[in-house]
Every structure is written in structure tokens, then in C-alpha cells.
Amino acid sequence: MSVFGTGPVSRRGLIRLGGGAAAGLVLGGVGATTAQARTMAGEAGVTALPGSMAFDLSDPSDALFMHKQAWCPTVMQCAGYDHLNKHWYVAQVMYNPGDGVSYATRKLEGDIAITKLSADGSTKLGRMYLRGFGHGAQIGIEATAAGSAPYIWIEYDSEPNSDATGFGTKVCRIKYVGPAADQPPRSFHWDDPEDRTAMNFKDRTPDALKLPGAGTTLSAPRPVVDMQHRRLLVRFNRNGQLQCAVWDLDAAIAGPLGEPLHHFADLPRPVYDAQGFCLYGSYMYMYEGEAYASGGPTDTTDVGTTYITRVDLNTGVSERALTRALKSLTFREPEGMNVMLVPDPARPGAYLPRLTFGFASGESGDRRVNIAYKDALI
């Protein structure tokens, strides 16, 4: 599901709009000439981000887990990992057939379920229902301490688009306070004072006037966190461009977002539906694609449309590659991206990164959660 705000940005939609939106993308290759990269770097920002290693998109993907259940039977939208407690948090449209509220209503109103899963995805440990927040297509998980609940960075203040799907219009930071699996569920509304207090709710919507460049408004802001480098990235639409900005995470926790560390003015647009993104060091990773068109594993000619794009936020150089990860899945719709940190056996107390990306699978009414990853750095 697209997270560009008013509706899906699909390959068909880009064809209707003309080829300009996809200009500069090189399928399976590198985008931006040296001159273009210098121009993008000049637009990119307040300061350059410290250079970092990057995930190798040619690295074969591994399965972390497959065919797991979240709390609701709907498509997973995104998943993030608390590395200090070894828990996954999966976002999806909230829908419980027994509560008398239809799926269409939940989707329209922007009701999200957050399922807490064990590290291997096999055990449902709890859930938190977020009403009126949006679609949950991109979240950030901010681990705090062993034994303590993480914070979730997520969209809120949902407004429905023309397809009757609610998407958030702002960004917030909330504490995960879902009851355990053996306790009655509880829902939280972003606009309820008691719920806001319980979640330690903080608005962290970027102020367009504090961003470099022109444009007094922005739309469809979506957050993600880089726990290794302790940074926050928010992606948004502004001036007809897809942009992002990066802040120091501790500063973003302490108060409203001011001037960013870095700003990137024109990210590459996806060819297929946008499905998530993440930040690691000085690189942003963007995830796109749609479910199998003609059966997937039963049709060997259907290789899918799932692509990962790596963008150097300092130079603007990008590379886009098809992934066949978890190609045996039925349905196989790409959904959500994040960085997972795992203990480094060679350095006690240190962590190694994995680029994780999800797929929804299974039949309608019984969708499953699947996570793949890449871990080779270049």
C-alpha cells in the first residue's frame, strides 16, 4: 500500500502522469550522473551526514521467519524490531470480525493494530489498538532499555483518501502500552486526553518553515528511526517533490523538530506502489512493489515487482534492484522496511545491522507475516 498520502503511486499511475516522475531511475542499476549527483548534494542540505557503509543490494536475501500471524487477519503494513528486548512490532489495519465494526470502517477511519511478537515471530505477546492514526505503512521502533517498552514513531490524525483509506497527516512518538496477550485488548485514540497521557504522546511533525528550500506546507509525513546512529528520518511531500529530512534522535525526543541535520530535496519516485523505507547511516533505502500478478510461484514467468532502492543522501546517487526474496510465497505483497540490530559475536555489547523487509502472504481473511533480510555491507 502506498504511503505517499492521497493514494497509491503505481506504475500505471506514473504512466498516466507521463515519464517525468520516473526519470533518473535505472532498473537494476545506478541512477544520477556525476553532475547530477553534485547538484543533488548541493540541494541536500544543512550538512552532510557522516559517511557510512551501505547494504549490498546484490547480497542474497535470507528468511528471518515466514507464515506468522499478527493479531488481525489483515495485511501487514510494516514491522520494526526492539533489539534490546528481542521483540517485533507489526502494524496492520485493525479488524476483529467479532467486534461488530467492518474492515471498511476501520480502514476509512485509520485504525491500526500493533502486534507485539517474539523474536522468531511465532508467539503473539500483546497488542495495542491505535484509533484514528492512519495506515501504519511505515513505523519506527525506538528501543529504550532491556525490560522497558519501546516508543513507536508513527503517523497520526488520519484523513481518508479517495479510495476510502485513512492516512495520517502528522507524526507522533508514543510509548507501546498494549496489554499482554492474555489480557483484554485496549484501544487508544490520539485525540483523547487520557489516552495521550497513557501513551506519553508527543507530536513530532516537521515544521516546513524550518526546512531548507521553499514551501510552507508538507503532506504525508512518515517517520523511521536509525537506532545504530540514533537518528530520525521523516519522509514527506513538498513542492511536488518527495523529500526527507534527518534529525538527531535524542534532540527529537527532547522537543519538537527544529532545523534538521540534513535535508534531501528530491528523492526518486517509485515505479510501483511505495511500500516502506528506512535509514542506515548516510543511506536511505526505499521499498516498492505489488503482489504477484499471475500466481507467482505457480507461474515461473512472474518474477514479481519488488524493488529496493538505495539512495546516498550525501551525493544523490541511487541504485535500484529487483529482489526475489521469499519468492515461494502465495500472494507475496511487499510491506514495510526497517533495520534490525543483532548482537555482534566478535564485540560484546555491539550490534550488527540487517536490512529487513516484509511480505504479506496467504489468503484474503488470513494474511500472514513474513520477514526477509540482507546483512552484507559494502
Side-chain angles (χ1 to χ4, degrees):
M1 181 66 69
S2 171
V3 289
F4 286 132
T6 57
V9 179
S10 66
R11 182 172 182 269
R12 293 179 296 276
L14 285 178
I15 290 172
R16 286 195 299 270
L17 291 171
L25 289 180
V26 180
L27 301 187
V30 176
T33 65
T34 301
Q36 288 172 327
R38 282 197 293 265
T39 299
M40 290 179 180
E43 294 174 347
V46 180
T47 57
L49 294 170
S52 70
M53 299 188 76
F55 289 103
D56 184 355
L57 299 188
S58 67
D59 174 40
S61 302
D62 295 300
L64 187 67
F65 58 74
M66 299 173 67
H67 311 300
K68 304 304 182 183
Q69 288 183 310
W71 208 269
C72 298
T74 54
V75 165
M76 68 170 290
Q77 295 296 327
C78 191
Y81 188 68
D82 176 352
H83 66 286
L84 299 179
N85 293 288
K86 299 181 180 179
H87 297 147
W88 282 95
Y89 293 85
V90 179
Q92 59 187 151
V93 174
M94 175 186 173
Y95 173 55
N96 294 302
D99 70 6
V101 181
S102 69
Y103 171 75
T105 296
R106 293 295 189 193
K107 187 175 70 166
L108 176 72
E109 295 185 354
D111 295 344
I112 299 171
I114 303 290
T115 300
K116 178 181 177 181
L117 293 176
S118 58
D120 64 359
S122 63
T123 305
K124 290 181 283 189
L125 302 172
R127 75 285 207 198
M128 183 179 183
Y129 296 147
L130 304 176
R131 291 173 27 252
F133 277 71
H135 205 63
Q138 185 57 55
I139 63 173
I141 299 298
E142 176 200 326
T144 56
S148 297
Y151 279 80
I152 302 172
W153 292 78
I154 193 169
E155 69 196 85
Y156 82 99
D157 195 2
S158 180
E159 292 183 1
N161 66 6
S162 59
D163 293 326
T165 300
F167 286 91
T169 58
K170 301 174 184 176
V171 169
C172 67
R173 173 183 183 259
I174 59 172
K175 188 173 185 178
Y176 176 82
V177 287
D182 60 353
Q183 299 297 314
R186 180 180 171 186
S187 63
F188 301 79
H189 198 287
W190 69 267
D191 202 26
D192 182 281
E194 292 185 3
D195 289 346
R196 288 166 74 101
T197 298
M199 295 183 290
N200 194 17
F201 179 99
K202 303 293 183 186
D203 174 84
R204 290 297 182 264
T205 307
D207 182 348
L209 297 179
K210 295 181 179 179
L211 296 171
T216 59
T217 61
L218 56 84
S219 63
R222 304 287 180 263
V224 74
V225 294
D226 174 359
M227 290 303 300
Q228 186 87 290
H229 302 92
R230 296 198 65 82
R231 296 192 189 110
L232 165 74
L233 180 145
V234 180
R235 195 217 61 199
F236 47 86
N237 289 313
R238 185 180 182 222
N239 287 343
Q241 296 174 317
L242 187 63
Q243 303 186 2
C244 71
V246 179
W247 288 264
D248 174 80
L249 180 60
D250 294 309
I253 292 168
L257 302 184
E259 293 184 1
L261 298 173
H262 189 77
H263 172 251
F264 196 96
D266 195 6
L267 291 166
R269 292 272 180 174
V271 177
Y272 299 96
D273 288 348
Q275 300 289 8
F277 59 90
C278 66
L279 173 71
Y280 185 77
S282 55
Y283 292 87
M284 182 179 181
Y285 300 83
M286 305 172 68
Y287 195 39
E288 64 178 285
E290 299 164 6
Y292 276 137
S294 57
T298 62
D299 180 352
T300 57
T301 66
D302 187 353
V303 298
T305 57
T306 301
Y307 284 85
I308 298 173
T309 298
R310 183 183 67 221
V311 183
D312 184 331
L313 293 178
N314 287 330
T315 68
V317 172
S318 65
E319 181 177 352
R320 180 174 180 264
L322 176 75
T323 177
R324 295 285 283 128
L326 311 191
K327 63 183 180 181
S328 65
L329 292 175
T330 300
F331 184 65
R332 191 182 178 265
E333 183 175 26
E335 298 286 355
M337 175 173 270
N338 256 300
V339 171
M340 175 189 189
L341 299 181
V342 296
D344 183 348
R347 299 179 299 153
Y351 291 88
L352 296 172
R354 291 175 173 178
L355 179 66
T356 65
F357 43 101
F359 292 92
S361 68
E363 302 298 324
S364 179
D366 186 24
R367 298 299 192 197
R368 299 301 177 99
V369 178
N370 306 267
I371 304 292
Y373 70 92
K374 296 178 182 290
D375 59 2
L377 295 170
I378 54 175

